[in-house]
Amino acid sequence: MLRRTLGKAVLATPLAAPLAAPALAQSGPVEISFWHGLAQPLGGILEGIANQFNQSQNRFRVVSSFRGSYPETMVAAIAGFRSGTAPHIVQMFEVGTGTMMAAGRAIKPLHELLRETGVTINFDDYLPAVRGYYSLADGRMMAMPFNSSTAIMFYNKDAFRRAGLNPDQGPRTWAEMRAAATRLRAAGIETPVTTAWPTWTQVEQFSAIHNIPLATLDNGFGGLNAELRINNPLMVRHINTLMEMGREGTFRWGGRDGAGDALFANGSSGMIFASSGARARFVRELPGGLANMGAAMLPYYDDVQGAPINSIIGGAAFWAMNRGPNATRSADENRGIAEFFAFLAQPRIVAAWHTETGFLPVTQTAFREVQATGFYTQNPGADVPIQQLLRGGGQMTGNSRGIRLGGFVEIRTAMQEEMERALQGQQTAQQAMDNSVTRGNVVLRNFERTNRG
């Protein structure tokens, strides 16, 4: 568990003597350190893009470094800033957005970076759900969107055939999904349904598509004094459904964070809720590969009025960081960061990343270019994440814009622990959600006290 947020760490850092800006090399390119949290194969693809940037010019050289999982990368960035060795760029998952925005001098806001360097990026071309997640209320960008994703459902077509299910269509509703899971179990499928990122897919995305609040104040976009609201009747009903399916043997807890992906990748699970960005791994590892992989939107309860609407994004963004307390970057370093970000915004880079990995095409131009190539016809289901983001007319509500809660990494951990206890029969669904709210609100109040100006 992360015990300290970045914001707390920044404020707790004792004032140190100003650190001199690093001396620039007399010859050769300016090095830009880039810490990311993507394991293989995604990490290798990302580093390949950084190498393309290096080969495209000779003024700057991006040095990529894998720092472990997203939470581990976050901890490494905190330690780096405190010791004056923070990277120029860090990849931070979306739940860290609220914390990063409150991190003060640790970060260099993107709008400020671009203004000072004179580098331009057309953010009007970015998908609204993506742009809105990483911007201030007035539209100024704080971080560089890149590997945005959303949660969808993948299913094993061979398993569907064995169970007498239609391999060309995934279940639309939870009633259909539960019935399909029962048939998969009867057909001998070891794990009919599992999930990766359990709180993201089963609490956060579930709340968004059913248009119910995860927290007050538009899930935290309205201020630091938001409070969790996940102990509502629909959320409790859903946790009860998972508990019942667990007892029936049709649902298996796949572990915390992305651990559940392995159950689908090795062919033992019939259906999984996972990030659309897991597509690259599944294509490579699932027995039968792409031909055996189906994709469908997240199921919903069809008796909930107005459901379903759009899901929310996940993934991560790139944040420019200052080197340490009282240490700023040189003009050349900031220019290198901005030039790299502008390179990432090129439609051909966005399109290639999308088609190779399954992450979203974050710009409308890249999406149109991919459409024109016939990619979605040749790769059925690859457009499901985009269609799901536009579901319900694409008009986001305060419940489906996203989540901006400080300390949300800690809150997710608390929710996972409470869900695990419920699925193990140690407490009711209502108790699990009540406890999640109580524990999560403690984190929110601590974050509010630390970061309120």
Side-chain angles (χ1 to χ4, degrees):
M1 177 189 298
L2 290 174
R3 299 186 181 281
R4 307 185 71 184
T5 67
L6 180 56
K8 291 176 183 175
V10 170
L11 293 174
T13 302
L15 290 177
L19 300 175
L24 297 179
Q26 295 303 306
S27 62
V30 176
E31 290 202 348
I32 305 297
S33 56
F34 171 34
W35 292 3
H36 70 82
L38 290 178
Q40 299 297 341
L42 297 173
I45 299 171
L46 178 60
E47 292 180 6
I49 292 174
N51 289 335
Q52 289 180 43
F53 171 73
N54 293 339
Q55 294 165 7
S56 71
Q57 46 75 51
N58 56 18
R59 287 188 62 193
F60 310 104
R61 178 171 176 268
V62 173
V63 180
S64 307
S65 176
F66 173 60
R67 294 290 167 151
S69 66
Y70 284 143
E72 289 168 342
T73 302
M74 185 175 186
V75 171
I78 293 170
F81 178 78
R82 297 182 70 191
S83 63
T85 58
H88 294 82
I89 304 168
V90 65
Q91 182 186 38
M92 191 65 64
F93 58 169
E94 90 288 357
V95 297
T97 301
T99 297
M100 292 298 280
M101 285 189 172
R105 58 195 173 187
I107 64 164
K108 180 79 168 175
L110 179 56
H111 65 87
E112 188 176 298
L113 177 80
L114 296 178
R115 186 184 67 248
E116 290 178 2
T117 59
V119 174
T120 58
I121 297 174
N122 179 19
F123 287 109
D124 289 339
D125 192 34
Y126 277 68
L127 299 177
V130 174
R131 185 177 66 234
Y133 207 103
Y134 297 111
S135 63
L136 298 173
D138 60 9
R140 290 179 297 166
M141 296 299 295
M142 293 294 287
M144 182 66 196
F146 185 67
N147 61 312
S148 293
S149 63
T150 193
I152 62 171
M153 184 169 66
F154 294 95
Y155 60 93
N156 186 312
K157 290 187 174 182
D158 282 347
F160 268 44
R161 293 188 185 95
R162 286 170 56 185
L165 298 166
N166 182 355
D168 297 320
Q169 183 176 339
R172 295 177 309 108
T173 67
W174 269 92
E176 292 178 3
M177 201 279 302
R178 192 168 178 178
T182 300
R183 292 179 64 168
L184 287 168
R185 177 169 171 74
I189 304 302
E190 180 181 343
T191 303
V193 181
T194 190
T195 186
W197 300 100
T199 65
W200 185 50
T201 61
Q202 304 305 316
V203 179
E204 299 158 40
Q205 297 284 2
F206 179 89
S207 296
I209 68 172
H210 290 88
N211 199 19
I212 57 174
L214 183 88
T216 59
L217 299 178
D218 292 342
N219 290 345
F221 277 79
L224 293 175
N225 55 334
E227 296 181 344
L228 291 178
R229 286 289 185 269
I230 56 174
N231 54 348
N232 60 74
L234 182 58
M235 194 70 253
V236 171
R237 170 189 172 187
H238 182 55
I239 298 300
N240 257 323
T241 296
L242 296 179
M243 293 169 65
E244 291 172 0
M245 292 180 64
R247 291 191 291 270
E248 295 167 358
T250 55
F251 174 77
R252 176 180 170 186
W253 178 263
R256 298 183 184 182
D257 300 333
D261 285 340
L263 294 175
F264 189 78
N266 66 20
S268 63
S269 177
M271 294 184 276
I272 186 172
F273 302 97
S275 167
S276 60
R279 183 175 181 275
R281 177 182 180 183
F282 295 158
V283 168
R284 287 168 172 78
E285 298 183 19
L286 177 68
L290 178 62
N292 191 29
M293 186 180 72
M297 297 188 200
L298 295 175
Y300 61 98
Y301 289 84
D302 57 0
D303 58 348
V304 175
Q305 187 174 7
I309 62 171
N310 66 284
S311 58
I312 58 179
I313 68 163
F318 300 153
W319 292 80
M321 291 192 73
N322 287 313
R323 189 158 59 92
N326 304 317
T328 58
R329 302 290 187 190
S330 71
D332 276 354
E333 288 174 297
N334 282 334
R335 180 80 188 191
I337 298 170
E339 293 281 1
F340 181 51
F341 286 170
F343 180 84
L344 297 176
Q346 294 181 36
R348 67 178 182 85
I349 299 296
V350 175
W353 173 254
H354 163 57
T355 56
E356 196 164 357
T357 65
F359 280 100
L360 296 168
V362 291
T363 67
Q364 298 174 57
T365 299
F367 178 48
R368 288 193 295 269
E369 289 188 1
V370 173
Q371 274 185 314
T373 66
F375 175 80
Y376 298 122
T377 302
Q378 299 162 11
N379 295 271
D383 58 342
V384 165
I386 306 155
Q387 293 178 4
Q388 186 177 261
L389 280 175
L390 300 174
R391 189 160 60 171
Q395 299 298 315
M396 293 181 290
T397 72
N399 301 322
S400 69
R401 181 182 178 190
I403 301 165
R404 189 165 295 171
L405 300 174
F408 200 61
V409 177
E410 293 177 67
I411 294 172
R412 260 194 183 170
T413 300
M415 286 195 291
Q416 287 185 134
E417 290 173 352
E418 298 299 336
M419 289 174 69
E420 284 174 342
R421 291 181 61 198
L423 289 165
Q424 292 166 358
Q426 298 175 16
Q427 62 182 350
T428 66
Q430 185 68 60
Q431 288 170 330
M433 292 297 98
D434 286 344
N435 291 339
S436 295
V437 167
T438 299
R439 295 176 61 185
N441 282 341
V442 169
V443 175
L444 289 173
R445 297 291 71 77
N446 288 338
F447 188 86
E448 181 184 12
R449 280 192 294 273
T450 302
N451 294 284
R452 185 173 290 283

